Amino acid sequence: MAYTKQVWRDGETGGTPITAARLNHMEDGIEENSNNWDSISHYSTTETSTGKTWIDGKPIYRKVIVTSGFTGNATSNIAHGISSIGDVVDFRFYLKNPTGELILPVPRIGYSGSDFNESFSNYAYISKTNIVFTCGSSSSYSSGYAIIEYTKA
């Protein structure tokens, strides 16, 4: 429910009285906005409404997928578990090295000197059922996570 602004007027004649109903209206609006903020800023491994809508008016959802066990020179298919995924509004994928000290955003394109080095290249994309991640041959990661914001088909 959207908050409806109240109009206040100064003065003794035609002035707006301060009433419990008007104060409760403001309190209800503050509480609703607070609850909406919690859903917008919340990250979870279960599907969560962001409280936002996409350009076509559909609600936007968010889900975090935790991953592990990547090896070099391989492609992994990681089930995201999102039923009837529609438009992907935002997709971020991060990897941690085995010590957990380094977090890398994907795609990561590697360079050796001034030349492109395919063995350091990593990229990810989303299909209707999976996150597909390709890891370069010189790469080794212990874990990672993906953040997907999407609408439903």
Side-chain angles (χ1 to χ4, degrees):
M1 179 177 112
Y3 183 81
T4 303
K5 179 181 173 183
Q6 297 185 37
V7 177
W8 296 80
R9 291 183 174 56
D10 290 331
E12 292 181 24
T13 60
T16 305
I18 296 176
T19 65
R22 284 186 164 258
L23 292 172
N24 284 326
H25 175 81
M26 288 189 296
E27 288 293 322
D28 291 343
I30 291 167
E31 180 182 39
E32 180 183 356
N33 285 333
S34 176
N35 292 339
N36 286 341
W37 178 255
D38 288 344
S39 67
I40 289 170
S41 61
H42 183 73
Y43 290 83
S44 174
T45 56
T46 59
E47 183 174 87
T48 304
S49 172
T50 65
K52 300 182 279 183
T53 56
W54 188 231
I55 56 176
D56 58 6
K58 289 182 180 178
I60 298 173
Y61 299 90
R62 178 185 301 123
K63 186 173 182 180
V64 177
I65 292 87
V66 179
T67 63
S68 63
F70 301 115
T71 58
N73 209 23
T75 297
S76 300
N77 287 288
I78 305 145
H80 51 60
I82 300 168
S83 61
S84 68
I85 192 167
D87 291 324
V88 175
V89 175
D90 190 20
F91 173 56
R92 291 167 279 164
F93 194 75
Y94 300 91
L95 298 169
K96 291 182 182 181
N97 67 356
T99 63
E101 298 169 355
L102 181 61
I103 298 174
L104 301 169
V106 173
R108 176 176 174 249
I109 305 299
Y111 288 89
S112 176
S114 60
D115 297 324
F116 171 72
N117 184 341
E118 189 174 292
S119 66
F120 289 113
S121 301
N122 305 297
Y123 61 91
Y125 63 89
I126 298 175
S127 72
K128 292 292 183 186
T129 56
N130 293 315
I131 298 167
V132 181
F133 170 62
T134 298
C135 187
S137 63
S138 295
S139 303
S140 177
Y141 304 100
S142 60
S143 63
Y145 53 93
I147 303 168
I148 307 171
E149 291 190 358
Y150 55 93
T151 63
K152 293 189 178 191

